[in-house]
């Protein structure tokens, strides 16, 4: 805590000292503060007893200074008395979390300290921060980005990955290069670029005396991006050298050594009023952590790459009960659970029905289709000896599918409605490795009425028919925006179809948010349904809880 106070005084003093200097020599000071707190309450209906420390809080203060080509920054974090439920237990105090110094001009960008970076799609390497998921896997070390010409960029990185308030016991190296061929050859209507990446993870394991794998794991990737008028295409292939498989938490399989691969394809066509986008991905044994034994942790701690679920990110509550998580891991449990990765993809199609037509009406109608389907990799599996040989294009047992349609209709200047139908298939046996297979049908309808430019009310109703697990649900939300600053809402999810009458619970919430310039404060009271919370296709598990939450976010 003393470190944070010292840095606050230092950062506040510098701009004050320099305020009388010429404009070109002034120091720019900027930053922000975010606080997310919750007071957990007892809830007899949900059979929840509040934790030993019922009042918990996650807090982030980040400060930056910029002078000419130089930028310095620091982030302090506080989790007092403890972090919110099911966050990484390493987040357990108040201290300086990250810091950096950066020099940047037109051709050179050099950073020392903690930094974030991504190579290509991120399947090989991505470091990023997402506070709602408890992820901050920045590297502490150095990064150099060199752009000698407008059409060529070379990145090099070295560091140790953040874990809690410390760093992992490994070293990470990386190089990424991208060449903009369209700029090099001055194409007028075509955009074409190629790129390549290397990432090395060096970790000497102490738990295996005579390892059958190298301490250095090498990973390579190549990619291409092409755009011609309304058509676009991209492809990336990744390879990870042989390494030990981690099937059981904290257990390295010294006799189960396999490489990893990934193939990502994306193509689409888009013009005014119509678009289609398709993505195909095949991944095999592509989990990648800065420490091998971090694999399987529930907090995405020490994860080196970014493998999001490629499915529609629904904004409906019921559509996010059975949410898919990407399956990059290897697990050969028995004949019923054979996983070495995933294969599948999704398609998006949208079409705007023209204004003035029978179906389009006076203001037009938007129709959007989305289809996603994911399977285990097919191949030959050898049990009880752990081994496998996958087919490159082979579909095993089905993990998940989501087929949905969304129709948006603007009736007049005040009324707009959205109607959605969603069909889902969720194989709990394979995804969660627990018994169960769930098939759902979901209907959702919402209407928004605008009283004025800033004042509106939105009403949403949802219903899920599920053939197993917790069975049927109903949900509703009413949201009122008084102006651009103040909004209130009330919502409820009711598991009325649960076979266990005692588990037919309401998950209600009521809250308000107020925004003033760059500051937003939100207060909420209610219940949290247990399960996965996902942002951008990456998820974390949250337990059932009941209480009052307060969040504050401001920048300056």
């Amino acid at each position: 805590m003393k470190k944070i106070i010292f840095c606050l005084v230092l950062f506040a003093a510098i701009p004050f000292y320099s305020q009388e200097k010429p404009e070109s020599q002034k120091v720019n000071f900027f930053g922000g503060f975010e606080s997310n707190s919750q007071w957990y309450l007892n809830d007899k209906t949900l059979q929840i007893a509040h934790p030993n420390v019922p009042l918990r809080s996650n807090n982030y203060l980040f400060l930056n200074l910029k002078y000419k080509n130089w930028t310095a920054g620091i982030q302090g974090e506080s989790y007092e008395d403890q972090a919110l439920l099911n966050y990484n237990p390493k987040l357990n105090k108040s201290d300086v979390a990250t810091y950096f110094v950066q020099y940047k001009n037109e051709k050179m960008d050099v950073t020392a300290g903690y930094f974030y970076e991504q190579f290509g799609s991120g399947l090989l390497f991505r470091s990023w921060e997402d506070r709602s998921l408890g992820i901050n896997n920045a590297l502490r070390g150095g990064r150099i980005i060199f752009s000698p010409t407008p059409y060529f960029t070379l990145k090099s990185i070295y560091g140790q990955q953040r874990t809690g308030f410390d760093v992992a016991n490994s070293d990470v190296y990386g190089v990424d290069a991208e060449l903009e061929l369209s700029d090099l050859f001055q194409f007028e209507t075509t955009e074409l670029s190629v790129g390549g990446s290397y990432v090395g993870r060096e970790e000497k394991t102490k738990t295996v005396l005579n390892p059958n794998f190298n301490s250095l794991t090498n990973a390579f990737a190549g990619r291409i991006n092409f755009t011609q008028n309304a058509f676009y295409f991209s492809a990336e292939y990744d390879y990870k050298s042989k390494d030990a498989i981690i099937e059981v938490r904290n257990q390295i399989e010294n006799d189960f050594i396999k490489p990893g691969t990934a193939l990502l394809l994306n193509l689409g066509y888009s013009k005014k009023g119509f678009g289609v986008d398709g993505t195909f991905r095949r991944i095999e044994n592509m989990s990648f952590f800065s420490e091998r034994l971090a694999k399987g942790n529930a907090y995405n701690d020490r994860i080196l790459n970014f493998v999001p679920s490629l499915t529609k990110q629904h904004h409906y509550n019921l559509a996010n009960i059975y949410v898919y998580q990407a399956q990059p891991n290897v697990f050969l449990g028995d004949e019923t659970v054979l996983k070495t990765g995933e294969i599948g993809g999704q398609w998006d199609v949208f079409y705007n029905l023209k204004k003035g037509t029978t179906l389009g009406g006076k203001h037009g109608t938007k129709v959007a289709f989305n289809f996603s389907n994911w399977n285990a990799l097919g191949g030959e599996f050898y049990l009880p000896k752990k081994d496998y040989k996958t087919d490159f294009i082979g579909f095993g047992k089905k993990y998940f599918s989501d087929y949905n349609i969304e129709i948006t209709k603007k009736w007049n200047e005040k009324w707009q409605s959205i109607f959605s139908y969603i069909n889902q298939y969720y194989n709990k046996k394979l995804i969660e490795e627990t018994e169960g297979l769930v098939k759902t049908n979901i209907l959702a309808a919402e209407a928004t009425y605008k009283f004025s430019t800033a004042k509106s009310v939105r009403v949403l109703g949802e219903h899920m028919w599920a053939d197993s697990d917790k069975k049927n649900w109903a949900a509703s939300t009413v949201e009122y925006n008084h102006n651009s600053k103040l909004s209130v809402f009330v919502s409820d999810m009711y598991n009325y179809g649960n076979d266990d009458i005692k588990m037919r619970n309401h998950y209600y919430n009521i809250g308000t948010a107020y925004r003033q310039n760059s500051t937003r404060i939100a207060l909420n009271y209610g219940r949290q349904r247990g399960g996965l919370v996902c942002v951008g296709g990456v998820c974390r598990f949250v337990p059932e809880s009941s209480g009052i939450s307060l969040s504050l976010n401001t920048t300056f």
Side-chain angles (χ1 to χ4, degrees), residues 388-402:
Y388 62 85
K389 182 179 181 181
T390 60
D391 300 324
F392 187 76
I393 302 296
F395 290 79
K397 291 184 178 180
K398 185 175 178 179
Y399 287 133
F400 176 86
S401 67
D402 185 323

PDB file of all heavy atoms in Angstrom, residues 388-402:
ATOM      1  N   TYR A 388      -3.167 -41.315 -29.429  1.00  0.00           N
ATOM      2  CA  TYR A 388      -4.214 -41.054 -30.405  1.00  0.00           C
ATOM      3  C   TYR A 388      -3.578 -40.638 -31.727  1.00  0.00           C
ATOM      4  O   TYR A 388      -2.413 -40.231 -31.792  1.00  0.00           O
ATOM      5  CB  TYR A 388      -5.170 -39.959 -29.925  1.00  0.00           C
ATOM      6  CG  TYR A 388      -4.523 -38.604 -29.713  1.00  0.00           C
ATOM      7  CD1 TYR A 388      -4.367 -37.707 -30.770  1.00  0.00           C
ATOM      8  CD2 TYR A 388      -4.054 -38.222 -28.462  1.00  0.00           C
ATOM      9  CE1 TYR A 388      -3.779 -36.468 -30.584  1.00  0.00           C
ATOM     10  CE2 TYR A 388      -3.462 -36.984 -28.271  1.00  0.00           C
ATOM     11  CZ  TYR A 388      -3.329 -36.110 -29.335  1.00  0.00           C
ATOM     12  OH  TYR A 388      -2.737 -34.891 -29.154  1.00  0.00           O
ATOM     13  N   LYS A 389      -4.382 -40.737 -32.780  1.00  0.00           N
ATOM     14  CA  LYS A 389      -4.008 -40.260 -34.102  1.00  0.00           C
ATOM     15  C   LYS A 389      -5.247 -39.649 -34.719  1.00  0.00           C
ATOM     16  O   LYS A 389      -6.192 -40.351 -35.050  1.00  0.00           O
ATOM     17  CB  LYS A 389      -3.479 -41.398 -34.976  1.00  0.00           C
ATOM     18  CG  LYS A 389      -3.018 -40.941 -36.356  1.00  0.00           C
ATOM     19  CD  LYS A 389      -2.493 -42.088 -37.176  1.00  0.00           C
ATOM     20  CE  LYS A 389      -2.024 -41.612 -38.550  1.00  0.00           C
ATOM     21  NZ  LYS A 389      -1.523 -42.753 -39.382  1.00  0.00           N
ATOM     22  N   THR A 390      -5.251 -38.336 -34.864  1.00  0.00           N
ATOM     23  CA  THR A 390      -6.451 -37.654 -35.326  1.00  0.00           C
ATOM     24  C   THR A 390      -6.481 -37.556 -36.849  1.00  0.00           C
ATOM     25  O   THR A 390      -5.447 -37.596 -37.521  1.00  0.00           O
ATOM     26  CB  THR A 390      -6.528 -36.235 -34.742  1.00  0.00           C
ATOM     27  OG1 THR A 390      -5.382 -35.497 -35.158  1.00  0.00           O
ATOM     28  CG2 THR A 390      -6.590 -36.277 -33.230  1.00  0.00           C
ATOM     29  N   ASP A 391      -7.701 -37.438 -37.369  1.00  0.00           N
ATOM     30  CA  ASP A 391      -7.887 -37.112 -38.777  1.00  0.00           C
ATOM     31  C   ASP A 391      -7.825 -35.596 -38.912  1.00  0.00           C
ATOM     32  O   ASP A 391      -8.373 -34.867 -38.079  1.00  0.00           O
ATOM     33  CB  ASP A 391      -9.241 -37.614 -39.272  1.00  0.00           C
ATOM     34  CG  ASP A 391      -9.386 -39.128 -39.128  1.00  0.00           C
ATOM     35  OD1 ASP A 391      -8.374 -39.829 -39.320  1.00  0.00           O
ATOM     36  OD2 ASP A 391     -10.498 -39.594 -38.811  1.00  0.00           O
ATOM     37  N   PHE A 392      -7.171 -35.124 -39.985  1.00  0.00           N
ATOM     38  CA  PHE A 392      -7.067 -33.677 -40.128  1.00  0.00           C
ATOM     39  C   PHE A 392      -8.446 -33.050 -40.314  1.00  0.00           C
ATOM     40  O   PHE A 392      -8.761 -32.036 -39.694  1.00  0.00           O
ATOM     41  CB  PHE A 392      -6.166 -33.313 -41.311  1.00  0.00           C
ATOM     42  CG  PHE A 392      -5.896 -31.845 -41.392  1.00  0.00           C
ATOM     43  CD1 PHE A 392      -5.000 -31.249 -40.515  1.00  0.00           C
ATOM     44  CD2 PHE A 392      -6.545 -31.049 -42.318  1.00  0.00           C
ATOM     45  CE1 PHE A 392      -4.760 -29.884 -40.568  1.00  0.00           C
ATOM     46  CE2 PHE A 392      -6.317 -29.678 -42.378  1.00  0.00           C
ATOM     47  CZ  PHE A 392      -5.422 -29.101 -41.502  1.00  0.00           C
ATOM     48  N   ILE A 393      -9.273 -33.631 -41.164  1.00  0.00           N
ATOM     49  CA  ILE A 393     -10.670 -33.207 -41.283  1.00  0.00           C
ATOM     50  C   ILE A 393     -11.525 -34.407 -40.894  1.00  0.00           C
ATOM     51  O   ILE A 393     -11.916 -35.223 -41.724  1.00  0.00           O
ATOM     52  CB  ILE A 393     -11.014 -32.737 -42.710  1.00  0.00           C
ATOM     53  CG1 ILE A 393     -10.101 -31.587 -43.120  1.00  0.00           C
ATOM     54  CG2 ILE A 393     -12.475 -32.307 -42.774  1.00  0.00           C
ATOM     55  CD1 ILE A 393     -10.252 -30.327 -42.296  1.00  0.00           C
ATOM     56  N   GLY A 394     -11.758 -34.514 -39.607  1.00  0.00           N
ATOM     57  CA  GLY A 394     -12.544 -35.620 -39.076  1.00  0.00           C
ATOM     58  C   GLY A 394     -13.397 -35.138 -37.924  1.00  0.00           C
ATOM     59  O   GLY A 394     -12.888 -34.504 -36.983  1.00  0.00           O
ATOM     60  N   PHE A 395     -14.699 -35.427 -37.987  1.00  0.00           N
ATOM     61  CA  PHE A 395     -15.635 -34.948 -36.973  1.00  0.00           C
ATOM     62  C   PHE A 395     -15.992 -36.091 -36.024  1.00  0.00           C
ATOM     63  O   PHE A 395     -16.539 -37.118 -36.453  1.00  0.00           O
ATOM     64  CB  PHE A 395     -16.902 -34.397 -37.632  1.00  0.00           C
ATOM     65  CG  PHE A 395     -16.686 -33.104 -38.365  1.00  0.00           C
ATOM     66  CD1 PHE A 395     -16.106 -33.097 -39.629  1.00  0.00           C
ATOM     67  CD2 PHE A 395     -17.023 -31.890 -37.790  1.00  0.00           C
ATOM     68  CE1 PHE A 395     -15.886 -31.914 -40.315  1.00  0.00           C
ATOM     69  CE2 PHE A 395     -16.809 -30.695 -38.465  1.00  0.00           C
ATOM     70  CZ  PHE A 395     -16.235 -30.709 -39.729  1.00  0.00           C
ATOM     71  N   GLY A 396     -15.670 -35.901 -34.757  1.00  0.00           N
ATOM     72  CA  GLY A 396     -16.052 -36.855 -33.742  1.00  0.00           C
ATOM     73  C   GLY A 396     -17.399 -36.510 -33.148  1.00  0.00           C
ATOM     74  O   GLY A 396     -18.260 -35.926 -33.804  1.00  0.00           O
ATOM     75  N   LYS A 397     -17.562 -36.820 -31.871  1.00  0.00           N
ATOM     76  CA  LYS A 397     -18.837 -36.565 -31.205  1.00  0.00           C
ATOM     77  C   LYS A 397     -19.103 -35.060 -31.130  1.00  0.00           C
ATOM     78  O   LYS A 397     -18.188 -34.259 -31.028  1.00  0.00           O
ATOM     79  CB  LYS A 397     -18.845 -37.174 -29.807  1.00  0.00           C
ATOM     80  CG  LYS A 397     -18.848 -38.693 -29.806  1.00  0.00           C
ATOM     81  CD  LYS A 397     -18.946 -39.242 -28.388  1.00  0.00           C
ATOM     82  CE  LYS A 397     -18.993 -40.768 -28.396  1.00  0.00           C
ATOM     83  NZ  LYS A 397     -19.079 -41.324 -27.024  1.00  0.00           N
ATOM     84  N   LYS A 398     -20.359 -34.720 -31.160  1.00  0.00           N
ATOM     85  CA  LYS A 398     -20.764 -33.321 -31.188  1.00  0.00           C
ATOM     86  C   LYS A 398     -20.685 -32.703 -29.795  1.00  0.00           C
ATOM     87  O   LYS A 398     -21.194 -33.255 -28.817  1.00  0.00           O
ATOM     88  CB  LYS A 398     -22.186 -33.217 -31.733  1.00  0.00           C
ATOM     89  CG  LYS A 398     -22.693 -31.801 -31.933  1.00  0.00           C
ATOM     90  CD  LYS A 398     -24.076 -31.824 -32.587  1.00  0.00           C
ATOM     91  CE  LYS A 398     -24.656 -30.451 -32.779  1.00  0.00           C
ATOM     92  NZ  LYS A 398     -25.985 -30.485 -33.438  1.00  0.00           N
ATOM     93  N   TYR A 399     -20.037 -31.522 -29.722  1.00  0.00           N
ATOM     94  CA  TYR A 399     -19.990 -30.755 -28.489  1.00  0.00           C
ATOM     95  C   TYR A 399     -21.224 -29.854 -28.342  1.00  0.00           C
ATOM     96  O   TYR A 399     -21.906 -29.871 -27.322  1.00  0.00           O
ATOM     97  CB  TYR A 399     -18.767 -29.819 -28.488  1.00  0.00           C
ATOM     98  CG  TYR A 399     -17.431 -30.447 -28.309  1.00  0.00           C
ATOM     99  CD1 TYR A 399     -16.370 -30.096 -29.157  1.00  0.00           C
ATOM    100  CD2 TYR A 399     -17.165 -31.346 -27.286  1.00  0.00           C
ATOM    101  CE1 TYR A 399     -15.100 -30.635 -28.990  1.00  0.00           C
ATOM    102  CE2 TYR A 399     -15.903 -31.892 -27.110  1.00  0.00           C
ATOM    103  CZ  TYR A 399     -14.876 -31.531 -27.973  1.00  0.00           C
ATOM    104  OH  TYR A 399     -13.629 -32.055 -27.811  1.00  0.00           O
ATOM    105  N   PHE A 400     -21.453 -29.061 -29.398  1.00  0.00           N
ATOM    106  CA  PHE A 400     -22.359 -27.919 -29.225  1.00  0.00           C
ATOM    107  C   PHE A 400     -22.837 -27.432 -30.589  1.00  0.00           C
ATOM    108  O   PHE A 400     -22.129 -27.534 -31.590  1.00  0.00           O
ATOM    109  CB  PHE A 400     -21.613 -26.786 -28.515  1.00  0.00           C
ATOM    110  CG  PHE A 400     -22.391 -25.511 -28.341  1.00  0.00           C
ATOM    111  CD1 PHE A 400     -23.227 -25.331 -27.259  1.00  0.00           C
ATOM    112  CD2 PHE A 400     -22.275 -24.469 -29.263  1.00  0.00           C
ATOM    113  CE1 PHE A 400     -23.932 -24.141 -27.084  1.00  0.00           C
ATOM    114  CE2 PHE A 400     -22.970 -23.282 -29.100  1.00  0.00           C
ATOM    115  CZ  PHE A 400     -23.802 -23.124 -28.002  1.00  0.00           C
ATOM    116  N   SER A 401     -24.055 -26.910 -30.612  1.00  0.00           N
ATOM    117  CA  SER A 401     -24.536 -26.177 -31.786  1.00  0.00           C
ATOM    118  C   SER A 401     -25.494 -25.092 -31.343  1.00  0.00           C
ATOM    119  O   SER A 401     -26.129 -25.195 -30.290  1.00  0.00           O
ATOM    120  CB  SER A 401     -25.214 -27.114 -32.793  1.00  0.00           C
ATOM    121  OG  SER A 401     -26.410 -27.652 -32.257  1.00  0.00           O
ATOM    122  N   ASP A 402     -25.553 -24.042 -32.132  1.00  0.00           N
ATOM    123  CA  ASP A 402     -26.433 -22.907 -31.861  1.00  0.00           C
ATOM    124  C   ASP A 402     -26.909 -22.375 -33.204  1.00  0.00           C
ATOM    125  O   ASP A 402     -26.114 -21.894 -34.011  1.00  0.00           O
ATOM    126  CB  ASP A 402     -25.669 -21.824 -31.091  1.00  0.00           C
ATOM    127  CG  ASP A 402     -26.556 -20.646 -30.653  1.00  0.00           C
ATOM    128  OD1 ASP A 402     -27.457 -20.269 -31.425  1.00  0.00           O
ATOM    129  OD2 ASP A 402     -26.329 -20.111 -29.557  1.00  0.00           O
TER     130      ASP A 402
END
